[in-house]
Amino acid sequence: MRGTSAIRAVCFDLDGTMFNTEDMYWDVGERLLAPRGKQVSRELLDQMMGRPSRVSLQIMIDWHGLDATVPQLQQETKEIFATLLGERLAPMPGLLALLDSLESAGLPKGIATSSGRAYLEDVLGRFKLAPRFLFALTGDDVRDGKPHPEIYLAAAERFGIAPAEMLVLEDSEN
């Protein structure tokens, strides 16, 4: 077909696409906001999803007029997530079979996530998945976080392909 490119690589988002972490964000939001007399809402989480923590937590601060800083909420989030990951983290249904299929087809795989590098390494390490990916780009590796396309353009460059030749698996509307 004219004007189409074959898929030569696959780039995965992490949260909600590879792992069930997005459903944990509701709990994190509740634990951050309840002591401050505020509540998490679907509308707030929809605005925050898929963005780097420095951006999403600023959205939370502005949304509720919180007397807190982004670094303070980042530290609290890190502590809450450490507990939740140990209790509930799991690969999304079909992830491991999909990785097997892509490997059988000889398609290289990468990760492009708004999450930070330490978090990514923790999550992948729990399931020993890092060696299955050619690279992982995080919110720490780009200036403009999602939804800006910078991280995906960098991923295509890492693969050495045109962006149109890369399939992106992403669950966040942002």
Side-chain angles (χ1 to χ4, degrees), residues 93-122:
L95 174 67
L96 301 178
L98 176 58
L99 295 178
D100 291 343
S101 293
L102 293 173
E103 289 160 5
S104 293
L107 286 170
K109 304 170 305 303
I111 298 172
T113 178
S114 294
S115 296
R117 172 88 33 208
Y119 170 79
L120 168 89
E121 290 173 357
D122 180 20

Side-chain angles (χ1 to χ4, degrees), residues 33-58:
L33 293 172
R36 294 171 169 91
K38 306 292 183 183
Q39 293 182 334
V40 70
S41 67
R42 177 53 43 205
E43 295 79 17
L44 172 59
L45 287 182
D46 286 346
Q47 292 298 310
M48 295 172 62
M49 277 306 161
R51 299 180 189 272
S53 70
R54 67 184 182 280
V55 175
S56 63
L57 290 173
Q58 188 61 56

Side-chain angles (χ1 to χ4, degrees), residues 7 30 46 71 92 102 111 143 147 154 161:
I7 294 171
E30 284 183 335
D46 286 346
M92 293 297 282
L102 293 173
I111 298 172
R143 188 178 63 110
I161 61 174

Side-chain angles (χ1 to χ4, degrees), residues 95-157:
L95 174 67
L96 301 178
L98 176 58
L99 295 178
D100 291 343
S101 293
L102 293 173
E103 289 160 5
S104 293
L107 286 170
K109 304 170 305 303
I111 298 172
T113 178
S114 294
S115 296
R117 172 88 33 208
Y119 170 79
L120 168 89
E121 290 173 357
D122 180 20
V123 170
L124 291 179
R126 290 170 189 255
F127 296 91
K128 300 184 180 15
L129 290 179
R132 296 183 79 171
F133 293 88
L134 186 61
F135 63 85
L137 295 172
T138 71
D140 300 336
D141 299 317
V142 294
R143 188 178 63 110
D144 295 311
K146 295 177 188 179
H148 191 280
E150 178 186 6
I151 199 165
Y152 293 118
L153 296 173
E157 189 174 313

